[in-house]
Every structure is written in structure tokens, then in C-alpha cells.
Amino acid sequence: MSNRLAGTGSPYLRAHADNPVDWYPWGEEAFAEARRRDVPVLISIGYSTCHWCHVMARESFQDPDTAAQLNSSFVSIKVDREEHPEVDAAYLAAASAFTRDLGWPLTVFATPSGRTFHAGTYFPPVDRGRMPGFRTVLAAVREAWTDRRAEVEAQAGAVAEVLAASAASEAAPLPDERALAAAADEIVAREDRRYGGFGTAPKFPVATTLRFLQAEGRNEVVARALDAMAASELRDEDGGFFRYATQQDWSVPHYERMLIDNAQLLDVAIDAGRADVARGIADFLLAVLQRPGGGFGAAQDSESWIEGQRSEGGYYRVPLHARAQLEPPAVDGKIITGWNGLVIGALARAGADLGESSWIDAAVRAAELVLTVNRDAGGRLVRTSLDGVPSAAVATDADLGLLADGLLALALATGDPRWAARGLEVLAADAVADPVLAGQGIPGSVDGGDGDLPSGASARAAAHLTAWRLGAGEQHRERAAALVRAGAAQALRHPFGSGALLRAAAGLARPPRQIVAVTSDPRGPLAAAVRAADADLAAVLSPQQARAFAEVGFTLFEGRDGVDGVAYDCRGFVCRLPVSDPALVPAAR
């Protein structure tokens, strides 16, 4: 048996390299082998900090008898959902035809052409009550493939037709302020007024939704959610937030800690005026998730070794001062392009607001690594890298949008327009569809919703909005508007799962407020007044920096370099007379 996973760029796949299962990584080779052998394909999708993925691995994939059953009757593919989000999205959508309980590990059975005919999530090794065991499922799938092939093929074709139809976009007018207010009202009506946040259990931070509510001025709701989370077990003693809570009162967390959650909650905390929460998150990001090369790893595991036993959450339940005696949970060191874009932007904005230059320096290091390492031989950005080696997985629209927006924020935080120019270059690039999915005619993304992070359309729309507000051209507003229109109907029907797109829509529904302080004293009272103001974009630059931004094409800064120590308050690119008195910079819009 060949060991195909050991040399991959995914810690999740590497953890399965010594399984007795004859795993293939995602790629055409596996499907070609399935066609040659005329057997179905098992596609097992998970990620390295997924607790139930670990459980199923120990119970089933490390079991010789189960592996023998898989090897004789299937071609088995192991997929890291963080490395191949399009693959994950496509098969999650297909799995929804067979189960309402979607999640990971995702277990998909497909034809050699990649079409799904059965799916589920975690299966125990043997039957447990009404839940069939994995070996039982394998036997049933093999029997259906052998004895009822026409039925299997028909089911796979029907699922594929439904997915193809659902991939078509439904364009709608741009939401106006009234529609956005109604969407915010619908979300607010779901608030848990007793414990803060939304829903019962399990309970997630839903940072994309909180960011939309902040854009709509529903700050009390966001404050209640953030305060409740920050005071609960969901927040570790070191300041980092766990993935979600299993109880309604934010207790009994699921202990993995994700880069995307903490990066977005850093922005939420800054906008909510919770500097203490922001500092805790930043400390966690820099101390735990930032890798030696400068990039940020994807997540920290929920499990660790304690007294020779694998323990879920045991490390985090020990007081912070006593943890030095324990081996910490592993960090998935994949440097994901878009996720690093999120943290680059969050650290840049928070560092500028709170005067923490080390946070901005950390964002610079991450940007340098991603722009240098996360590229293929032709110079195109890829999805991930590990230990300085880029993955073959293609960068998604979300990767490009999130990285571009992060670089634009970094430009303002550093005063260096070269980062903004790099951001526009990234934003201008086209994402490449996953070649295997494209070759099989399977839509790579059938749902434009925003879940735990912005979708590709939402991420690109946000970056185009930032570029437009900086004066990079009206074409950026037009591109943002087109992306929002394509998803607006779905977003207004399901606002809770569309926070990032609705936030972009809010940015288009009203003229932007941009404030530029031109001062050689970036921590002085004028700069502080500008940063404290309620604005869509706030910039604090020296006269020389303002001139440099204007020279590379950002028209917001044209003619702003003549006087040191003034602030320009602009509404929809029409600026009031400059003021030098901080008291004359209105805090409200």
C-alpha cells in the first residue's frame, strides 16, 4: 500500500498517513483508479482540529478490519476542508439531500464521476441503537453498487441536477435602507435576551452577523452578545475564544480555537469599544497562532495529551498559570491565504486604533509571507502553504477578497500605499475553479451565504467597497454592487446567514463617510478624534504619506498634503472645510 498522504501540505491528511486505509488525497488520480476498478468512491472530509474527526479516525480508519473493507470495495479519498473549501461546499450541498445533520467528519459516497449517491457525517464503528455502524454502511453501499447500479446512478444524477439548478444566481435590486433595517430587525428578534447572542444550543459567536448589526447601528445587541461571551467559558483565560458553546449560557465550550473566529471577533470588539477583549484576542493570536515565519495557523486543537491520555479540553480546564507544565494542544500550521487576510486586516485596524505598533508589525510579517510563499510556480496565489511549501489547492474568491481587504487596511495602518497597490493587484486576479470539480461538471460553490466567515462574493464586495472609499475608482463600487445584487434576494430571505453580504449592501445603501487626518502626530488629539468618529473609513497620515497615496491613484488623498495638522470630513467624497481643532470633528455621522 502506497503512503500518499505523508508528503501533503495538510496536517490533517498527514495525521492519517499511517492508517491502514489506502487513502488518496483529493485529485483526479483517485477517480481514475475508481473508474479502472469500477468501484464507488468514499470521500471523507474533515479538518485537523475536528474532535469527531479524531474519534472516527481512531474507531474506524485505524481499524484493520474496517480498512480491509474499504480497500477491497472502494477508492478512499481524504480531504482537508480548510485546504479545499470548494470541494467541501460541493459535497456538503450534495449531502443535504441525505441528511439534515450536516457537519464534520463528512462521509460521502460517490460514483467514479464524483456524483454523490449517499452521505452522512460521523458513523460509529458498529451499530448503536438507530445509528448504523460504519461497517454496516459500507456493506450496504457496496451491495447497492453491485446489485442495484441503475438505481444508484439515477439517484446520483438527480442530486447533480438539483445542485446544478441551485447554483444559478438570482439577481435582485440593491437592498435599500428600509430593507436592511428589516433584515436587522429579523435578526434582532432571534436574540437570546437572557444569555446574549442567538439561539439555544449549540451556540456560535456568528461574527459575520454581529458585524452587520454593528453596521446597522444595533450596537446594544452586539454589546450584550460580546459581553456575555467574554464573561463566559467560551473565552479562555488567555483571551482567545473557543469555536462554540454546547450550552445556551455559553458554557461547556467545544474547545478548538479557530483563526477566523478570533480575527473577526477582534474587529467586533474594536467597534464595540471593548479594548480589553481586543487585547486578549490579539495576545492569543500572536502568542499561539502566529507561526515562526510570520503567517497565522488555522486553528488550535481541542485535544491534547495529559498523563498519556488524549483529553478533549483538559488542557484548557487547567488554570492558566499551571499550563506551562502540560504539552499544549497542537496548532494546525497551514497558512490559509484568505484567513490570513482576515487577521492582517483585524490586527492592522486594532493596532492603529489602540496604538499597538507590534500588532501592525505582526500583520506586516503575515502579509509578506502570504504574498511570497502562497504562490504556485507561475506566480498565482494558492490557497495554503505549510512550512514554507505552497499547496496545489487553488485560491478561492474568498481568499482573494479577504487578502485584498486586509492589505488595504494594512496600507492605512502603516501609511505605506504599496500595500494598497498590492491589495488592488490581488483583487484584480480571477479565482480558478477546482480543476477536479470543474472536470466533473460539479459546481464548486452552490451557496453564497456567510457562515463562519464571508463568502467569496461577500469578501470581494467588501474589498471593492474599501478600494472605492479610498478613491481607487467608481468601477470598484460597480463591482461591489454587482456582487451584492447577485446574492441580495437570498440574503434578504435568510439574513441571519448573510451578515457579510448585508454589511456590504449597507455600505452601498448610503453615502460613505470618510475622514482623513493629515498630521505628523499620529497619536495626538486630532488623530484620536478621527479614529473615534463613526465613519466608514478613517485615515491618519502624514502629509508625505497622503501625497504618496495620491500619487499611486487614491483620489481621496489628492490635495491633502498641503497643511500639517488638519482633518477632512467627507460625505460621499464631498469634503467639508478642513479643521484643526479636534473638538470640531463630529463623533457621530
Side-chain angles (χ1 to χ4, degrees), residues 5 9 33 54 87 125 173 184 214 224 228 285 310 361 386 482 509 518:
L5 304 187
E33 178 64 8
H54 297 327
V87 176
Q214 287 180 317
R224 284 193 290 268
L285 291 169
R310 290 296 286 176
D361 293 342
L386 181 68
V518 180

Side-chain angles (χ1 to χ4, degrees), residues 288-303:
V288 177
L289 292 189
Q290 190 163 35
R291 304 291 84 199
F296 288 81
Q300 186 177 30
D301 208 336
S302 62
E303 294 188 2

Side-chain angles (χ1 to χ4, degrees), residues 175 180 208 212 448-450 454-459 461 465 480 483-492 497-508:
L180 292 167
T208 53
F212 167 58
D450 308 306
S455 69
S458 301
L465 272 176
L483 290 163
V484 169
R485 276 194 293 267
Q490 171 78 1
L492 292 175
S498 307
L501 191 81
L502 292 173
R503 181 177 172 84
L508 293 163

Side-chain angles (χ1 to χ4, degrees), residues 202-242:
K203 204 164 187 180
F204 290 81
V206 290
T208 53
T209 301
L210 296 178
R211 295 288 284 147
F212 167 58
L213 293 178
Q214 287 180 317
E216 283 297 295
R218 310 305 173 89
N219 299 312
E220 298 84 358
V221 177
V222 177
R224 284 193 290 268
L226 185 61
D227 290 349
M229 289 188 290
S232 74
E233 295 176 30
L234 191 74
R235 185 188 187 204
D236 189 43
E237 284 187 65
D238 68 2
F241 283 83
F242 296 111

Side-chain angles (χ1 to χ4, degrees), residues 31 210 269 283 383 454:
F31 293 98
L210 296 178
D283 288 345
R383 169 72 174 172

Side-chain angles (χ1 to χ4, degrees), residues 5-371:
L5 304 187
T8 63
S10 163
Y12 175 63
L13 266 61
R14 290 184 180 187
H16 289 267
D18 63 353
N19 291 165
V21 178
D22 190 16
W23 291 113
Y24 284 77
W26 177 256
E28 174 56 31
E29 181 186 2
F31 293 98
E33 178 64 8
R35 291 191 292 271
R36 186 188 71 79
R37 291 175 52 197
D38 191 30
V39 296
V41 177
L42 165 73
I43 304 170
S44 175
I45 304 176
Y47 55 104
S48 69
T49 59
C50 164
H51 171 66
W52 286 104
C53 299
H54 297 327
V55 173
M56 191 166 177
R58 288 192 289 265
E59 292 177 341
S60 294
F61 300 139
Q62 292 178 5
D63 175 64
D65 293 336
T66 304
Q69 193 175 358
L70 279 167
N71 296 341
S72 65
S73 301
F74 301 85
V75 168
S76 302
I77 302 176
K78 178 59 73 174
V79 179
D80 183 338
R81 69 175 292 257
E82 295 171 350
E83 185 179 22
H84 293 283
E86 282 191 288
V87 176
D88 180 54
Y91 285 109
L92 271 174
S96 68
F98 304 93
T99 177
R100 297 177 62 183
D101 298 323
L102 296 174
W104 302 274
L106 184 64
T107 306
V108 175
F109 296 95
T111 67
S113 63
R115 293 186 169 188
T116 302
F117 63 88
H118 186 64
T121 52
Y122 163 80
F123 290 104
V126 296
D127 297 355
R128 291 179 186 166
R130 295 183 178 180
M131 182 180 290
F134 190 48
R135 289 183 226 167
T136 301
V137 172
L138 294 178
V141 169
R142 177 59 180 171
E143 182 272 333
W145 179 259
T146 303
D147 299 339
R148 293 179 280 114
R149 179 75 63 88
E151 181 182 330
V152 167
E153 295 281 6
Q155 180 151 287
V159 172
E161 289 178 7
V162 171
L163 294 178
S166 66
S169 61
E170 179 187 352
L174 286 175
D176 58 19
E177 291 192 67
R178 183 176 179 179
L180 292 167
D185 287 342
E186 184 174 334
I187 294 170
V188 169
R190 298 176 59 174
E191 183 190 11
D192 179 354
R193 292 301 298 266
R194 181 176 182 183
Y195 295 114
F198 304 92
T200 54
K203 204 164 187 180
F204 290 81
V206 290
T208 53
T209 301
L210 296 178
R211 295 288 284 147
F212 167 58
L213 293 178
Q214 287 180 317
E216 283 297 295
R218 310 305 173 89
N219 299 312
E220 298 84 358
V221 177
V222 177
R224 284 193 290 268
L226 185 61
D227 290 349
M229 289 188 290
S232 74
E233 295 176 30
L234 191 74
R235 185 188 187 204
D236 189 43
E237 284 187 65
D238 68 2
F241 283 83
F242 296 111
R243 181 68 163 145
Y244 63 88
T246 62
Q247 304 300 312
Q248 185 176 353
D249 63 356
W250 297 106
S251 64
V252 194
H254 184 63
Y255 287 100
E256 61 182 318
R257 301 199 283 183
M258 308 293 292
L259 176 62
I260 54 175
D261 297 328
N262 284 279
Q264 292 177 99
L265 287 173
L266 177 55
D267 273 329
V268 171
I270 286 293
D271 280 4
R274 288 295 304 271
D276 58 330
V277 176
R279 291 185 185 280
I281 295 172
D283 288 345
F284 160 70
L285 291 169
L286 298 179
V288 177
L289 292 189
Q290 190 163 35
R291 304 291 84 199
F296 288 81
Q300 186 177 30
D301 208 336
S302 62
E303 294 188 2
S304 62
W305 289 99
I306 297 181
E307 297 180 352
Q309 301 287 328
R310 290 296 286 176
S311 170
E312 186 195 9
Y315 175 85
Y316 303 106
R317 290 191 291 269
V318 173
L320 190 61
H321 69 270
R323 290 182 193 173
Q325 304 169 24
L326 300 175
E327 179 184 349
V331 170
D332 183 330
K334 289 195 312 295
I335 309 300
I336 300 176
T337 295
W339 296 16
N340 273 258
L342 271 177
V343 75
I344 288 165
L347 285 173
R349 288 184 286 267
D353 280 359
L354 298 182
E356 294 288 352
S357 60
S358 64
W359 300 359
I360 300 172
D361 293 342
V364 167
R365 291 181 62 216
E368 290 172 341
L369 183 136
V370 170
L371 290 172

Side-chain angles (χ1 to χ4, degrees), residues 422-434:
R422 298 296 296 275
L424 294 184
E425 290 173 6
V426 170
L427 191 55
D430 293 323
V432 177
D434 179 89

